C-alpha cells in the first residue's frame, strides 16, 4: 500500500474508532464482518475497502469517482455525479469508440432520442428509455419529452396529440387542466396532458387502467377487458 494512502487510512480509521474502541492500527478495519468502504482523504478516485476485516486500497475505474453514495461500479459513481470537496483526481479520459471514458453515460445523438449509450469497460451499449421518455443529456437520464422541447416533439415521442378542449361531460374533464386519455390496446398505461403536451404514464405493479374512471385500479375492480388481462 502506498505511504500516502497509508497515512490517510490512519486518519480515517482513527476518526471512525473515536468514542468506541479507541484508535486502531492502520492494518485493521473497524468492522471484521461484511464489506465497508471509506473515502480517501486526498484522492477522489480512490477509496479504502474492508472485506471481512481485510483492508485494501481501491482505485475507481476510468470515468468513476468515490463519494460513498453511488454504486455505478464497485462502490464508485459517475464523475459528473460526485462532489470531490477538494479531493484530487486525474480527469484524463481513456477513450474507445463511442465512449469518452471507460465508464459513463452518453447521448446517442444531439437529436431527440429514446435511447442512450451506457459504457462499461469501454464498451458502448445502447439502452432504451422507459416508454414515453426521451434521453436528457443535462441529467444523464431519461425525462418527459415536454421537458426537452428544445430537441423533442412530445407528440411524436408519445404518439398522441392533446386536444385544446374536452367535452365537459366526459371522464377526461374531471382531470382538467390535466385531462387523461386511454392508450389504444394498452391496459397498463394512460396519457395525461400537461401544459398541452402528452405524457405516457404507467400504472403501478399489478394495476390496470380503467377507461370508465381514467384511473389505475386493481383488476378485480375493472369491468372491462383489462380485468382479465391484469390477472
Amino acid at each position: 500500500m502506498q505511504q500516502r494512502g497509508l497515512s490517510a487510512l490512519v486518519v480515517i480509521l482513527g476518526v471512525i474508532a473515536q468514542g468506541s474502541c479507541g484508535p486502531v492500527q492502520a492494518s485493521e478495519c473497524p468492522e471484521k464482518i461484511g464489506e465497508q468502504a471509506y473515502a480517501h482523504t486526498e484522492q477522489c478516485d480512490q477509496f479504502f475497502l474492508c472485506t471481512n476485516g481485510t483492508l485494501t486500497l481501491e482505485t475507481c475505474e476510468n470515468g468513476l469517482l468515490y463519494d460513498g453514495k453511488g454504486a455505478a461500479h464497485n462502490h464508485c459513481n459517475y464523475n459528473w455525479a460526485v462532489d470531490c470537496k477538494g479531493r484530487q483526481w486525474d480527469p484524463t479520459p481513456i477513450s474507445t469508440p463511442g465512449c469518452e471514458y471507460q465508464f459513463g453515460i452518453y447521448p446517442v445523438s444531439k437529436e431527440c432520442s429514446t435511447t442512450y449509450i451506457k459504457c462499461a469497460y469501454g464498451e458502448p451499449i445502447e439502452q432504451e428509455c422507459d416508454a414515453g421518455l426521451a434521453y436528457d443529456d443535462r441529467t444523464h437520464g431519461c425525462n418527459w419529452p415536454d421537458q426537452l422541447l428544445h430537441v423533442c416533439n412530445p407528440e411524436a415521442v408519445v404518439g398522441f396529440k392533446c386536444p385544446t378542449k374536452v367535452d365537459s361531460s366526459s371522464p377526461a374533464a374531471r382531470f382538467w387542466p390535466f385531462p387523461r386519455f386511454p392508450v389504444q390496446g394498452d391496459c397498463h398505461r394512460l396519457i395525461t396532458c400537461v401544459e398541452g403536451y402528452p405524457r405516457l404514464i404507467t400504472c403501478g405493479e399489478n394495476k390496470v387502467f380503467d377507461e370508465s374512471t381514467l384511473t389505475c385500479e386493481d383488476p378485480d375492480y375493472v369491468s372491462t377487458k383489462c380485468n382479465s388481462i391484469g390477472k
Side-chain angles (χ1 to χ4, degrees):
M1 182 180 294
Q2 299 175 352
Q3 184 62 38
R4 183 172 57 182
L6 182 61
S7 299
L9 184 59
V10 172
V11 175
I12 292 172
L13 296 185
V15 170
I16 292 171
Q18 290 299 320
S20 55
C21 299
V24 295
Q25 298 300 316
S27 60
E28 295 180 352
C29 289
E31 299 182 46
K32 301 303 182 183
I33 299 176
E35 185 174 272
Q36 304 84 34
Y38 304 102
H40 195 293
T41 57
E42 299 175 358
Q43 303 300 311
C44 196
D45 57 354
Q46 292 185 326
F47 63 98
F48 298 103
L49 185 66
C50 288
T51 305
N52 292 326
T54 300
L55 175 69
T56 55
L57 175 62
E58 305 286 327
T59 299
C60 297
E61 298 285 350
N62 183 250
L64 303 178
L65 299 172
Y66 181 83
D67 63 357
K69 300 177 182 178
H73 176 75
N74 190 28
H75 298 283
C76 298
N77 203 354
Y78 295 111
N79 56 30
W80 42 263
V82 177
D83 179 3
C84 288
K85 298 180 179 179
R87 292 179 297 146
Q88 303 300 307
W89 67 288
D90 182 2
T92 304
I94 300 175
S95 302
T96 55
C99 300
E100 180 183 4
Y101 287 92
Q102 292 292 289
F103 280 77
I105 295 177
Y106 306 102
V108 171
S109 70
K110 293 183 179 180
E111 307 298 324
C112 183
S113 177
T114 58
T115 63
Y116 60 94
I117 297 297
K118 184 175 182 179
C119 292
Y121 296 106
E123 180 181 356
I125 301 175
E126 191 167 359
Q127 305 283 322
E128 292 274 352
C129 288
D130 288 342
L133 301 182
Y135 180 74
D136 187 343
D137 194 36
R138 300 168 300 181
T139 62
H140 304 271
C142 298
N143 203 350
W144 304 114
D146 59 89
Q147 300 298 304
L148 300 165
L149 293 177
H150 60 293
V151 292
C152 284
N153 175 0
E155 296 173 358
V157 174
V158 179
F160 184 85
K161 181 178 177 61
C162 290
T164 56
K165 61 181 180 179
V166 296
D167 187 331
S168 59
S169 62
S170 68
R174 294 174 46 213
F175 301 94
W176 191 265
F178 307 107
R180 296 180 178 184
F181 304 92
V183 179
Q184 186 85 23
D186 192 336
C187 285
H188 298 282
R189 295 188 176 95
L190 66 134
I191 292 171
T192 184
C193 294
V194 179
E195 302 295 335
Y197 297 108
R199 289 186 181 183
L200 185 64
I201 308 295
T202 300
C203 291
E205 188 176 0
N206 299 322
K207 301 289 184 179
V208 296
F209 183 66
D210 187 338
E211 293 188 19
S212 62
T213 63
L214 301 184
T215 59
C216 294
E217 305 285 353
D218 187 290
D220 291 337
Y221 298 101
V222 177
S223 59
T224 67
K225 62 180 182 180
C226 289
N227 180 290
S228 58
I229 293 177
K231 293 184 177 180

